[in-house]
Amino acid sequence: MPDMSASLALTHLVPLAKEVDENKVTPGVLGFIVFAVMAVAVWGLMKSMNRQLGRVDFTEEADPKATPSGKAAGSA
């Protein structure tokens, strides 16, 4: 039964979709504003990430608890 109602709904909606002129459908001003806000947000996140990665010290210090030259602690 659910399949019949879905197909019935589709048969009523398909003619409505054909009435829309495909050449006149545009995202409009709202679409541009949303895209611009997302672009500014991505730019801000990239700038913040670059600043945070600049603060990271990538040099490793030797671990004082590690055994020298990779020898296991139990083997002697």
Side-chain angles (χ1 to χ4, degrees):
M1 283 295 199
D3 292 330
M4 289 178 50
S5 62
S7 63
L8 183 62
L10 285 177
T11 56
H12 288 296
L13 291 177
V14 168
L16 293 176
K18 292 292 182 185
E19 292 177 6
V20 177
D21 187 12
E22 295 176 3
N23 296 326
K24 293 185 179 179
V25 177
T26 63
V29 177
L30 180 63
F32 174 74
I33 291 172
V34 169
F35 182 78
V37 167
M38 288 175 57
V40 169
V42 168
W43 176 77
L45 286 171
M46 289 177 61
K47 188 171 180 170
S48 175
M49 183 183 66
N50 193 17
R51 188 179 324 124
Q52 293 297 326
L53 286 176
R55 294 180 185 172
V56 175
D57 183 21
F58 287 106
T59 57
E60 283 190 35
E61 296 178 7
D63 188 11
K65 295 179 183 176
T67 58
S69 69
K71 292 181 182 175
S75 63

